[in-house]
Amino acid sequence: RNEHLFNLHFFLFQLKAINGEFLLNMPVRMVNAHLHYTRTDHYHLPHSKAFVEPDISLRSHSGKIGYMLSAGIKSDFPDLTSMIDYRDDSNPLSVFLGNPDLKNLHRYYVDLNLSTRRNQKLNFSLWANYHQTDHSVAYSLSFNKSSGISTMRPVSVNGNWDLNGGWSIYGPLDKDKKLSLENRSTVSYNHCVDMASVEGYAESVRSIVNNWRIGDELKLNYRANDDLELTLHGGADYYLIDSKRSGFTHIRAGDYSLGANAQVKLPWGAQLTSDITMFARRGYHQTEMNTTDWVWNAQISKAICKGKLFVRLQGFDILHQFSNTQLIMNAQGKTETWRNCIPQYYMLSLSWRFLVKAKKKSEE
């Protein structure tokens, strides 16, 4: 794969009408790709296309309120392995087909951000984003009831778009800047289109799922000095997921977290770092997804040998409630993930720091 980019760049600075700068790009991106692929046979797929991908942005460069508005389009090929015209029936009951008629992907975006610029005070930020993807790749499954053969084939679908926005506040709450606040609230909507198998149908049908997510994250930090820092943090995400697809179970559920973090200087120059957080999920129809887990991690470290040798004792998941299995809701349904790892462990480590001083320079 190789690309060549030709761009017309238009730039204006210090526009008084918008108190900022204006930037326009008119690039033409020429992409050439060759795929040599062996599956049931050897295939060679050359693919070339010239993509026009304009983008525009407006942004402020001064003032107490900053803003940025950007919009544009990005394009590309689908995965070329999906575009090979092959038929893989090595498993007679499970046939895979390629689709040389897949269309090129086009992604559109519009992003807006507003923020204050106030030193030593609370600052605010607002944002909104829109994204759309044309010709997304989905996988269609057909089942022959008489022969028992299922056939899977990639297809291009339209209608995928999402809209999200939110606001945040951050900064010190007192004159000494010992107490600070961070809060971030978000609302998002995802109109997800895919292909799904539905009971009673031999062919996959177009699946449209409406995903709403409302969330908030809050963090309160107190830093007394270099020897003590405490943080309280919490968050919540509420999901509303609906679809007119037959057999789809509507979801009204939430994920919550609440925890505390501490960094404390101990006697003899040791440092303690500890974090404990409760993760809870409620409202899911599957009982195995309604869980409450307390995750506690801690670490004690100390520098010896004039700061060159570091000794560190770390404990991960001390309460032994972290699981290798993760159940999450994606845009179309439930995803279950297993990880082959050790969820709980203790580790003692030694590290030696080598310091090389720079050569002395002249007073100049």
Side-chain angles (χ1 to χ4, degrees):
R1 175 178 173 123
N2 61 76
E3 300 183 12
H4 299 82
L5 179 67
F6 303 90
N7 188 22
L8 175 63
H9 183 78
F10 183 74
F11 178 71
L12 286 178
F13 188 65
Q14 294 182 347
L15 296 178
K16 294 182 179 180
I18 61 174
N19 189 29
E21 59 189 32
F22 171 82
L23 180 64
L24 173 64
N25 284 310
M26 291 295 295
V28 177
R29 190 165 56 95
M30 303 180 67
V31 183
N32 297 280
H34 290 265
L35 176 67
H36 292 273
Y37 188 65
T38 301
R39 189 161 179 147
T40 56
D41 199 351
H42 183 76
Y43 304 91
H44 174 222
L45 177 64
H47 213 61
S48 300
K49 182 68 176 179
F51 295 113
V52 180
E53 301 175 319
D55 67 83
I56 184 175
S57 64
L58 300 171
R59 66 183 67 187
S60 67
H61 55 80
S62 63
K64 294 182 179 181
I65 298 180
Y67 67 87
M68 184 180 70
L69 172 64
S70 60
I73 178 176
K74 297 293 183 182
S75 303
D76 210 338
F77 304 141
D79 181 9
L80 293 186
T81 57
S82 303
M83 299 183 67
I84 294 291
D85 189 12
Y86 70 86
R87 176 185 176 87
D88 186 351
D89 54 1
S90 54
N91 181 349
L93 296 180
S94 183
V95 178
F96 292 88
L97 301 178
N99 186 358
D101 297 325
L102 290 177
K103 299 180 180 180
N104 293 325
L105 303 173
H106 301 291
R107 299 181 176 92
Y108 310 89
Y109 66 91
V110 179
D111 300 325
L112 173 64
N113 186 282
L114 299 173
S115 60
T116 60
R117 298 169 175 170
R118 303 189 301 174
N119 295 329
Q120 301 179 358
K121 294 182 179 180
L122 284 174
N123 284 278
F124 300 88
S125 175
L126 295 170
W127 66 89
N129 307 293
Y130 173 80
H131 302 93
Q132 176 181 322
T133 302
D134 290 347
H135 307 148
S136 299
V137 178
Y139 285 87
S140 175
L141 179 68
S142 60
F143 180 72
N144 190 317
K145 296 182 179 180
S146 60
S147 64
I149 298 175
S150 60
T151 303
M152 182 172 288
R153 182 173 183 261
V155 294
S156 296
V157 295
N158 285 326
N160 282 288
W161 61 275
D162 64 83
L163 179 66
N164 66 82
W167 67 277
S168 65
I169 179 174
Y170 53 93
L173 295 176
D174 60 334
K175 295 181 179 180
D176 297 331
K177 297 183 180 180
K178 293 184 176 181
L179 188 64
S180 62
L181 172 71
E182 292 183 27
N183 188 82
R184 178 183 174 91
S185 301
T186 57
V187 177
S188 63
Y189 171 75
N190 183 5
H191 186 267
C192 182
V193 180
D194 205 339
M195 302 297 292
S197 299
V198 177
E199 185 177 358
Y201 289 84
E203 299 280 345
S204 294
V205 298
R206 184 179 168 93
S207 171
I208 300 177
V209 181
N210 303 300
N211 297 266
W212 284 94
R213 175 181 172 270
I214 304 172
D216 188 82
E217 297 178 6
L218 177 65
K219 181 186 294 185
L220 186 64
N221 180 268
Y222 175 72
R223 182 181 176 85
N225 46 50
D226 293 339
D227 298 336
L228 176 63
E229 183 173 356
L230 302 174
T231 303
L232 296 176
H233 55 86
D237 289 309
Y238 185 66
Y239 302 95
L240 298 91
I241 306 176
D242 294 317
S243 178
K244 296 181 179 179
R245 192 179 76 198
S246 175
F248 188 92
T249 302
H250 303 298
I251 296 173
R252 302 288 186 273
D255 299 345
Y256 315 93
S257 67
L258 180 65
N261 178 279
Q263 298 183 34
V264 184
K265 188 174 181 180
L266 302 177
W268 303 293
Q271 179 85 17
L272 170 65
T273 303
S274 178
D275 180 89
I276 184 168
T277 305
M278 179 204 68
F279 298 94
R281 302 194 296 184
R282 296 292 184 272
Y284 295 97
H285 296 281
Q286 297 85 359
T287 56
E288 64 269 17
M289 294 190 68
N290 296 313
T291 58
T292 302
D293 300 315
W294 287 87
V295 179
W296 180 24
N297 305 321
Q299 172 183 286
I300 298 178
S301 59
K302 178 177 172 57
I304 57 178
C305 297
K306 298 182 180 181
K308 294 183 178 181
L309 182 64
F310 288 87
V311 182
R312 183 179 293 110
L313 177 62
Q314 181 183 13
F316 185 80
D317 190 23
I318 298 175
L319 301 179
H320 198 44
Q321 295 191 16
F322 192 74
S323 176
N324 281 351
T325 303
Q326 185 181 25
L327 296 169
I328 61 174
M329 299 301 301
N330 62 14
Q332 286 284 333
K334 182 180 74 171
T335 300
E336 187 169 355
T337 305
W338 295 273
R339 289 181 173 84
N340 187 17
C341 64
I342 303 175
Q344 182 190 43
Y345 65 84
Y346 298 90
M347 180 181 294
L348 177 65
S349 62
L350 300 175
S351 58
W352 183 271
R353 182 171 64 179
F354 296 90
L355 181 62
V356 179
K357 295 183 179 180
K359 294 181 179 180
K360 293 183 178 180
K361 297 182 179 180
S362 62
E363 293 182 0
E364 293 181 354

